[in-house]
Amino acid sequence: MMKSKIGGALAATALATCMAGPATAADDTFKIGVITFLSGQAAESFGVPAWNGGKLLVDMLNEGGKLPAPYDKMGFGGMKIEAVIVDEAGGATKQVQEFRNLVQREEVDAVVGYVSSGDCLAIPPVADELKAFTILYDCGTPRVFEDGSYEYVFRTAAHATMDNVSLARYLKSRSFDVPSFAGLNQDYAWGQDSWADFTGAMKQLYPDAEVKTALFPKFGAGQYGTEISALLREKPALVHSSNWGGDLQGFLIQATARGLHKRAQLALAAGDHVIPQLQDKMPDGIFLGARGVNGLAAHARGGELKELTDTMWDAYEVEYNTFPVQAPFRMWQALFGLKTAVEKAMADNGGTKPTSEELAAAMKGLSWDAPSGRIEMALAGGHQAIQPNAIGTTKWNADAGEMELVDVEYYAARCVNPPEGMKSQDWLAQGFPGAECD
Amino acid sequence: MDLAATILVDGLIYAGWLFIVSVGLTLVFGVLNILNIAHGSLYAIGAYAAASMVGAYFALGGEAFPYGSYVAMILAAVLVALVLGPLLERGLLRFFYGRDEVLNVLVTYAVFLILEDVMKLIWGVNPYFVYEPYTLLGDVEIGPLFYVGYDFAVIAAAIIVGLAVWLTLNRTRVGKVVLAVIHDSEMSQTMGVNVQRIYLGAFMAGTFLAALGGALTAPMISVTPGLGVNVIIVAFAVVIIGGLGSVPGAAIGALMVGISRAASVHLLPEAELFIIYFVMAIVLLFRPEGLFAKTQARKI
């Protein structure tokens, strides 16, 4: 009898605890919800390395004093950072539900997330509805802020137009002869948009170049034999691809085995993240970008940010036994931006934990330094970032047993991103008006 | 090399792969009357198993005789069949024989979802690579194009697999028993045939063929999660075109899809995704049961 009474009391207590909901984060803790791919095709390329980098940075910030100024202060404005991680796999409908969970049940102070452009388009209206401060850290579609406007949503990475304008400028700056080119891109929004951006930029810089063929194999196709035959037959001077992950790895394995890289110049819009897996199977002489001055290009850059970049780079290498590719760089720039915004808001409000409104006000038009360069919230009324970019050429260093980027060209943010108030496609069609190149 | 020949070669290479991927699916349907959606997962597990086995082979000093990696790939497929075949057939599917086909589709879909997670549990989300077998057989130069010898080895493997399955079914005693079971399992049982054993054998053969498809594909791709999803869709298209349960149908279906897809990539790239379903729609318009659907004997 006594036993059952105790059991009943325990059950009631447990139930009451559940009904009370999760404990509200204390004022000495800043709780972030982080959404990124932990499973599925984008996990290995983007999601997992991004959060590996994020986890590392959160640990370093919570410890305090591990990073050079202005990031040497503990946590976010002295508050300890607590992260709740959610897997992005499962589609936009599921992510909207997860987002509501994070905001309403977990009561996070900010959300940092989304690799998929589909998720980045689905979340902002919900974020504004819930007045939840949200940073889109990775996705590339220009449409988020070109087709919409949001109060509480910010994107701390440049959108994808920059990748292909930089690639086209790289060809031009190296006087690369492009009488013709072809494309092999994944058949969904990312691949279609990337090809449209590249052809738009090429039309301005190489108006006489002929488009030989545009191939759009299915996402996750794996087999590219027929496409490679078509590219070999068409003999374009250059082959453009924005493929990523397993699709890019499969394409490179099959294309190099058949000598495509010897007959055409390969130009990859987002190619750096397959280097740790492919190593010397990735051929020399490929032009590639990393969607920002990320990865090898950041490591090679030096300059004022060298200390910050090297600190993150070395810590990542020690922790994960590989070098950080583009995804952790984008996570770092988001978290450094959030830290800067939190501390700016706290300086304005007398040092208390900022509300979503205060955070949004602080983030609008903000600039801060990240290992990937100076990030400026310069587009979409201060909600969309621009950043510098870099393109380089692969070269295997047999002595060191590692891939290097050589002939790296760095582009200022205002050289390869459209100006405020202008849509990317219009900017490309009008010949990059307002571009500020060195 | 003119365009027609390029399309033919590309089509044959793709068709060879498609046939290996699809023939197990049609065999399992023919014998067990189960549309096995988990076939895609078995393919992916075959790819993972081959990547692991070939990796282990080279780690244990296989460089001295790299061609042994092909044996490792086939052994990987055998291993998958020996472990998963009995586990799934005896442990699960046998409880659903004779039930509604839709229920079987749901059961195998559940197995598909479970196996997707099992793969992540065992192999994680990072990709696996085994390039060595892909480049071992050298290049084949046809006109201005280079092909990899391995591509033609896949065509040879498809022919061997097709002949082996066809000859086993049509020229051996076991095959005759299997055909009897396909025709009327109750009557076969009455005549003393161990139908359970035939079902198990057929499912293990189907599992082996799925895993072999994955194992042969592993060297040319990065083996990553989600591998089986795309495969099962295209495999279904092939066996539906050929007629569910027909091995020659799977061969013809694979050839039709392979060649029409190659023609589309070369001539009309924007139609590449559409062409498979277009071919399927045209075939089903004239032959709703597929090209080689087995004749249903009417029971009294």
Side-chain angles (χ1 to χ4, degrees), chain A residues 41 44 220-225 228 245-257 277-278 281, chain B residues 14 17 21 40 43-48 50-51 73 126-135 150-151 154 211-231:
Chain A
Q41 296 201 8
E44 171 269 334
Q223 304 264 2
Y224 299 99
I228 292 164
D247 281 354
L248 180 56
Q249 290 155 3
F251 172 59
L252 285 173
I253 291 168
Q254 292 161 40
T256 50
Q277 290 88 29
L278 291 179
K281 295 290 172 191
Chain B
Y14 195 72
W17 171 77
V21 169
Y43 166 90
I45 290 173
Y48 272 113
M73 286 159 64
N126 285 336
Y128 285 74
F129 297 100
V130 276
Y131 324 98
E132 290 86 352
Y134 188 55
T135 47
Y150 188 86
D151 289 336
V154 171
L212 182 68
L216 290 175
T217 312
M220 60 176 95
I221 58 168
S222 78
V223 183
T224 48
L227 193 62
V229 181
N230 288 316
V231 166

Side-chain angles (χ1 to χ4, degrees), chain B residues 153-166:
Chain B
V154 171
I155 297 183
I159 294 170
I160 292 167
V161 163
L163 282 176
V165 174
W166 190 84

Side-chain angles (χ1 to χ4, degrees), chain B residues 128-204:
Chain B
Y128 285 74
F129 297 100
V130 276
Y131 324 98
E132 290 86 352
Y134 188 55
T135 47
L136 269 182
L137 300 176
D139 294 337
V140 180
E141 195 173 350
I142 304 180
L145 300 191
F146 273 91
Y147 287 92
V148 180
Y150 188 86
D151 289 336
F152 296 97
V154 171
I155 297 183
I159 294 170
I160 292 167
V161 163
L163 282 176
V165 174
W166 190 84
L167 286 173
T168 308
L169 283 177
N170 294 290
R171 293 285 183 271
T172 65
R173 191 181 168 279
V174 174
K176 286 189 168 45
V177 174
V178 171
L179 291 176
V181 170
I182 292 173
H183 188 65
D184 191 330
S185 61
E186 285 173 7
M187 188 62 81
S188 306
Q189 197 153 21
T190 317
M191 302 288 282
V193 172
N194 187 341
V195 174
Q196 285 190 355
R197 195 182 296 168
I198 296 296
Y199 279 1
L200 175 63
F203 191 79
M204 284 176 71

Side-chain angles (χ1 to χ4, degrees), chain A residues 60 85 105 108 158 166 183 206 260 278 294 337 377 403 430:
Chain A
M60 289 171 97
I85 313 300
R105 289 169 64 94
V108 296
S166 306
Y206 287 90
L260 179 64
L278 291 179
N294 298 330
M377 302 300 287
M403 184 67 82
Q430 292 170 28

Side-chain angles (χ1 to χ4, degrees), chain A residues 7-22:
Chain A
L10 282 175
T13 312
L15 193 64
T17 312
C18 289
M19 285 169 72

Side-chain angles (χ1 to χ4, degrees), chain A residues 164-183 195 198-199 201-213 234-241 263-267 287:
Chain A
N164 292 296
V165 173
S166 306
L167 262 184
R169 286 203 187 283
Y170 187 76
L171 299 170
K172 198 73 189 173
S173 66
R174 305 197 68 70
S175 305
F176 190 79
D177 188 26
V178 192
S180 62
F181 63 101
W195 175 245
F198 186 67
T199 48
M202 290 296 280
K203 205 173 262 182
Q204 298 300 334
L205 297 174
Y206 287 90
D208 298 329
E210 180 195 356
V211 177
K212 288 281 193 181
T213 185
E234 297 283 357
K235 299 192 180 83
L238 178 128
V239 174
H240 167 274
S241 181
R263 288 162 181 76
Q265 175 65 49
L266 297 184
F287 298 161

Side-chain angles (χ1 to χ4, degrees), chain B residues 100-116:
Chain B
D100 197 326
E101 280 178 24
V102 176
L103 185 69
N104 284 324
V105 169
L106 287 175
V107 168
T108 57
Y109 179 56
V111 173
F112 170 83
L113 293 176
I114 292 166
L115 289 179
E116 289 294 301

